[in-house]
Amino acid sequence: MPFTPLRQRSSWRALTAHHRELASIHLRELFSTDANRGERLTVEAAGLYLDYSKNRITDETMRLLFNLANESGVPVRRDQMFKGVHINVSENRADLSFALRMPKDSSVILDGVDVVAQVHGVLDQMTKFSNSIRSGEWRGETGLPIKNIINIGIGGSDLGPVMAYEALRHYSRRDLTFRFVSNVDSTDLAEALRDLDPAETLFIVSSKTFSTLETLTNAQSAREWIVGSLGEESVAKHFVAVSTHEDRVREFGIESTNMFGFWDWVGGRYSMDSAIGLSTMVAIGPENFMEMLAGFHEMDEHFRTTPIERNLPVIMGMLAVWYRNFFEFPTAGVMPYDQYLKRLPAYLQQLTMESNGKHVTNEGDRVDYDTSAIYWGEPGTNGQHSFYQLIHQGTTIIPLDLICFANSLNPLGEHHDILSSNVFAQAQALAFGKTADEVHADGSLEDIVANRVMEGNRPTNVLLAEVLTPRILGALVALYEHSVFVQGTVWGIDSFDQWGVELGKILAAKITPELLSESEPTLDHDSSTSTLIRRYRTLKKNGEHYGN
Ligand code: G6Q
């Protein structure tokens, strides 16, 4: 699509001028001159209520941001995505993640094939498998039912499954143990297996390509652990695979009947609702898994059909652009006030930064503006007792998403209202701060008045839902997926590729034999890398008693 370069778009120029006017205006002023701002600047979809009134915006800002979204082709490209156009330009592929959560009676045709029918075929296979594990019908080699499920995968084949398992633990079977091994560091596998009985353990090897070194190395060691205890014949009963590559799965020794497929049109970081979510389904059961998919779908439909002015992912995406490109804030925080969502920040880190951490446009040009912010976060209230100091009084302004629920899944006395009051209080403190007059009025000692002043004017989004359910989790993840899409569209980059992770893999493949080699290898790296390798080899020799 031939769009005007970003900086030359009239809406971009208008926003640049508008930002100059707004930059010095305080949220205190925006609220005091606009009585119903806190009611007006809100939007609701798929069970998620967003209060975006504590952002450094006016109605004019939003109007200009929507102009920018339009001028950047957000609605056009959104429609193209839902039509299966190859929006993943650098890999010449469609992204049909939305098809993973479409109802059985719908259809999406890609190259003459109905992918929704394919999706539901795999969902049926997953359901059968999950039920057989949950009912105890599936037996291991010695006839014992499976009690431990270990997902082996990394990146998109790990972060989604871990996050979803932790998020939906309340709905999970407590008599089954779920663990997730991702790191090629042998400690990860060793610690996951140390107290488990192979006879009651099943591995799900999750790898889209089935060629990822970390995953295959872990899977091979897991195989040796099973075979060493139960014999070569036991593999079929203790391993299943999730992949797009049947031949490679078979080569590893897993039969096609124990393989769950997915497709090239799903990116790794967009795949937690595909067969990559098999461990999630075993944990929470097929019905809850389908509920999660329904939540994703509800948000998809909201994104697809709602005018951009009331469109939750568009609003969140455009606010992210506002802060990144006009205020030039380098980083953004996501703070879930729910212990079950403790892995959500790590999950969103991949979704946002692997998708939009790019410096080349779809036309192959170097961008002359910033792309993705750096995302990070921790569950509240823990973060408040550590790094929130910088968010309140540091020199870098960090817009936050605060995610909270009106009900706890583990009600206990006043805990939940105490937790929630902190969300509202943090948003208040960050927005309005505390002036020197207010500090004085509190009777503070004169020489620490300056230390106690809180400048405020720090933006937050508050996302509020009734309670954390599988459906809400689906809606929440889909919200961030589409927000990422909106940002990537404005920036004109490919949010679905990840070429930046390739080089390190190639270099590691060259270095591994140099570390393993018995004889002193000839090294032709830069002087730093060669010296590090030599020092490593010396230290390794010194530590032979560790058994390496
Ligand atoms: C995600 C990335 C990446 C990928 C892992 C695992 O979008 O592509 O994180 O998921 O590298 O890849 P495999 O599933 O192919 O093992």
Side-chain angles (χ1 to χ4, degrees):
M1 272 179 298
F3 286 112
T4 312
L6 185 51
R7 286 177 173 282
Q8 290 166 33
R9 287 173 207 159
S10 57
S11 50
W12 178 280
R13 291 190 176 146
L15 278 160
T16 307
H18 175 71
H19 171 258
R20 250 178 259 128
E21 284 166 23
L22 200 72
S24 57
I25 298 181
H26 201 286
L27 277 165
R28 279 196 286 262
E29 193 180 330
L30 293 176
F31 270 84
S32 66
T33 54
D34 181 0
N36 69 349
R37 181 182 170 91
E39 287 142 45
R40 193 177 68 256
L41 296 179
T42 61
V43 60
E44 196 160 7
L48 292 168
Y49 172 87
L50 170 69
D51 171 3
Y52 61 101
S53 64
K54 293 194 190 80
N55 281 291
R56 293 172 66 174
I57 52 165
T58 60
D59 293 335
E60 175 66 359
T61 320
M62 294 313 294
R63 194 182 67 75
L64 294 173
L65 285 171
F66 295 135
N67 284 350
L68 178 61
N70 277 323
E71 216 184 333
S72 307
V74 168
V76 176
R77 200 155 166 276
R78 170 192 63 185
D79 295 347
Q80 289 181 334
M81 175 172 76
F82 284 102
K83 280 190 190 128
V85 173
H86 285 202
I87 55 167
N88 178 352
V89 185
S90 81
E91 294 178 323
N92 192 20
R93 277 182 201 158
D95 177 81
L96 303 182
S97 321
F98 64 90
L100 294 169
R101 48 260 194 164
M102 285 179 70
K104 209 170 192 157
D105 55 2
S106 49
S107 76
V108 172
I109 307 296
L110 183 74
D111 302 330
V113 178
D114 181 3
V115 299
V116 177
Q118 288 183 315
V119 165
H120 280 272
V122 174
L123 282 170
D124 289 346
Q125 189 198 357
M126 290 164 67
T127 299
K128 231 167 131 197
F129 171 76
S130 301
N131 285 338
S132 74
I133 296 285
R134 290 165 65 87
S135 66
E137 187 195 322
W138 182 293
R139 300 278 159 157
E141 181 66 12
T142 66
L144 287 173
I146 297 300
K147 274 197 187 155
N148 317 308
I149 292 94
I150 317 283
N151 185 75
I152 297 181
I154 196 165
S157 301
D158 168 70
L159 287 159
V162 185
M163 184 278 286
Y165 170 67
E166 291 295 345
L168 301 176
R169 209 171 181 153
H170 176 80
Y171 303 88
S172 73
R173 276 279 295 269
R174 301 303 181 130
D175 55 340
L176 299 176
T177 297
F178 292 85
R179 291 186 185 158
F180 300 84
V181 174
S182 54
N183 200 339
V184 73
D185 181 343
S186 40
T187 297
D188 205 7
L189 186 67
E191 286 293 341
L193 301 186
R194 64 182 314 124
D195 56 346
L196 301 186
D197 178 358
E200 298 177 326
T201 302
L202 179 131
F203 292 91
I204 302 176
V205 185
S206 297
S207 177
K208 181 175 169 182
T209 56
F210 227 77
S211 63
T212 305
L213 189 60
E214 291 90 334
T215 300
L216 292 188
T217 307
N218 276 322
Q220 200 54 48
S221 298
R223 196 180 191 284
E224 282 159 25
W225 184 73
I226 287 287
V227 168
S229 164
L230 304 169
E232 193 65 41
E233 295 305 306
S234 64
V235 171
K237 291 179 183 147
H238 293 268
F239 280 86
V240 299
V242 180
S243 186
T244 56
H245 279 271
E246 197 173 331
D247 45 336
R248 294 179 192 163
V249 169
R250 227 178 299 118
E251 210 174 295
F252 180 84
I254 298 175
E255 283 310 312
S256 303
T257 43
N258 291 339
M259 173 184 150
F260 302 82
F262 65 118
W263 307 272
D264 269 351
W265 46 258
V266 193
R269 56 193 171 278
Y270 298 90
S271 68
M272 60 166 275
D273 48 338
S274 71
I276 289 290
L278 186 60
S279 57
T280 316
M281 192 193 267
V282 177
I284 65 174
E287 242 175 72
N288 279 321
F289 193 84
M290 297 311 279
E291 267 297 295
M292 183 181 82
L293 297 189
F296 269 100
H297 181 63
E298 201 179 340
M299 185 57 77
D300 291 343
E301 284 301 282
H302 167 80
F303 179 55
R304 188 174 70 83
T305 61
T306 310
I308 61 172
E309 296 77 12
R310 303 295 304 156
N311 196 307
L312 184 41
V314 174
I315 292 172
M316 280 187 62
M318 293 312 295
L319 286 170
V321 168
W322 175 233
Y323 290 128
R324 186 70 189 110
N325 294 120
F326 298 94
F327 282 90
E328 298 183 352
F329 296 153
T331 163
V334 183
M335 311 295 162
Y337 279 69
D338 189 305
Q339 193 60 25
Y340 284 127
L341 291 181
K342 64 181 181 196
R343 295 289 290 170
L344 184 70
Y347 173 80
L348 291 180
Q349 248 168 1
Q350 180 184 29
L351 184 63
T352 54
M353 290 159 71
E354 200 175 42
S355 298
N356 285 338
K358 314 276 161 75
H359 64 230
V360 172
T361 67
N362 289 324
E363 282 72 43
D365 303 320
R366 179 75 157 84
V367 294
D368 55 2
Y369 41 84
D370 280 315
T371 57
S372 182
I374 299 155
Y375 280 80
W376 55 284
E378 273 290 313
T381 58
N382 296 4
Q384 289 174 209
H385 297 266
S386 110
F387 52 77
Y388 270 46
Q389 165 61 36
L390 183 150
I391 302 175
H392 283 286
Q393 286 189 312
T395 52
T396 299
I397 293 187
I398 304 172
L400 296 188
D401 291 348
L402 305 172
I403 302 170
C404 60
F405 299 89
N407 297 282
S408 170
L409 290 165
N410 298 293
L412 183 62
E414 297 177 349
H415 283 239
H416 194 69
D417 290 333
I418 293 173
L419 173 73
S420 307
S421 66
N422 273 279
V423 181
F424 305 138
Q426 288 298 322
Q428 248 180 346
L430 287 162
F432 307 117
K434 194 162 185 173
T435 63
D437 287 346
E438 286 164 345
V439 175
H440 272 299
D442 278 354
S444 178
L445 289 175
E446 190 53 44
D447 51 357
I448 58 160
V449 167
N451 303 68
R452 296 191 56 202
V453 166
M454 312 268 279
E455 286 173 354
N457 217 13
R458 280 139 164 85
T460 53
N461 283 319
V462 175
L463 271 168
L464 172 64
E466 191 173 309
V467 71
L468 178 56
T469 59
R471 196 178 178 102
I472 284 291
L473 181 72
L476 187 63
V477 173
L479 163 62
Y480 277 97
E481 284 185 1
H482 297 316
S483 164
V484 160
F485 172 87
V486 168
Q487 295 167 57
T489 300
V490 172
W491 291 325
I493 55 178
D494 190 337
S495 304
F496 300 99
D497 65 14
Q498 58 282 315
W499 297 105
V501 299
E502 293 304 320
L503 179 59
K505 287 190 203 169
I506 295 165
L507 297 181
K510 180 168 189 267
I511 293 172
T512 307
E514 295 169 348
L515 305 184
L516 285 167
S517 161
E518 291 291 333
S519 58
E520 206 52 42
T522 316
L523 301 174
D524 60 357
H525 301 284
D526 59 277
S527 62
S528 160
T529 309
S530 296
T531 309
L532 280 167
I533 291 172
R534 269 184 227 108
R535 176 55 65 100
Y536 174 93
R537 288 181 57 88
T538 309
L539 291 173
K540 189 174 163 181
K541 226 182 206 123
N542 293 347
E544 267 168 351
H545 54 281
Y546 293 117
N548 282 281

